[in-house]
Amino acid sequence: RAQYERMDRIVGDLIERNPTDAGYQTMRAATSNTLGDLHLRNLGNTAVAQQFYQKAYETRRQLYGEHVMVAEALANLGLVLEDRGRADSAEMLYRESLRIARATVGEQHDQFTSVLGNLALLIGRQPFSSIYHAHGVAELRSKEIQMEAIVRFPGGGARGV
């Protein structure tokens, strides 16, 4: 953990000296994503994970625009928000991630199917009545998405992206 945080500081210093260097920016996004993974999956520190994932998202969005790496960053933010009990926000990020993944790499790509599984699991954990009241009839489409994901992931779903 300390090595990654040191690396993040070093990369941050390099970026401050060379703010337009895409190589350093790419390294920052990758380092931030890895630190987010470390804090979320190994240390259980969702607040810090969210900060790193947010940094990875912002850097990737700036570098790539609409790209599968941006979809991955949004999905990671969704995982954190879901873990922090913010299901509505997580759902919104998952849906945006799916939209970008569908547009950039298609529905057969691992990124798309993984996020689809996470969205289905998230929706499946919410009581139907709360989904209906919060989102109305349009949310019935989410149930279709959930069923599609169950067919794709008969043993459960994907959690990591």
Side-chain angles (χ1 to χ4, degrees):
R1 171 182 159 191
Q3 284 181 311
Y4 283 118
E5 289 175 353
R6 183 171 174 258
M7 182 175 23
D8 185 60
R9 283 192 302 276
I10 291 169
V11 172
D13 290 343
L14 290 171
I15 288 171
E16 284 180 28
R17 291 185 202 133
N18 305 291
T20 60
D21 188 305
Y24 291 138
Q25 294 288 346
T26 301
M27 193 184 318
R28 163 53 66 86
T31 303
S32 296
N33 194 68
T34 301
L35 284 166
D37 289 347
L38 175 74
H39 282 277
L40 180 65
R41 293 182 174 99
N42 297 82
L43 302 175
N45 190 338
T46 57
V48 175
Q50 184 175 349
Q51 292 171 357
F52 281 115
Y53 284 145
Q54 184 68 37
K55 188 186 309 182
Y57 164 72
E58 290 168 0
T59 305
R60 287 175 174 176
R61 177 62 96 179
Q62 179 183 9
L63 285 171
Y64 308 125
E66 294 231 337
H67 188 275
V68 67
M69 298 299 284
V70 173
E72 177 191 40
L74 286 168
N76 286 338
L77 279 169
L79 289 172
V80 169
L81 292 177
E82 184 178 349
D83 282 357
R84 297 186 86 187
R86 295 176 51 198
D88 288 345
S89 296
E91 180 180 343
M92 184 177 72
L93 291 174
Y94 288 154
R95 289 181 186 278
E96 180 64 6
S97 177
L98 285 172
R99 185 192 67 73
I100 293 171
R102 180 182 286 124
T104 58
V105 293
E107 293 184 5
Q108 301 306 313
H109 192 275
D110 289 344
Q111 181 63 37
F112 182 87
T113 56
S114 177
V115 176
L116 183 64
N118 288 340
L119 177 61
L121 291 171
L122 173 70
I123 291 170
R125 284 190 287 270
Q126 297 177 39
F128 184 77
S129 61
S130 69
I131 292 171
Y132 181 81
H133 290 297
H135 303 288
V137 177
E139 193 58 36
L140 294 177
R141 173 66 182 126
S142 291
K143 287 296 182 186
E144 292 174 30
I145 290 171
Q146 180 183 359
M147 295 308 296
E148 179 183 343
I150 289 170
V151 169
R152 288 188 188 199
F153 302 106
R159 180 71 176 132
V161 251

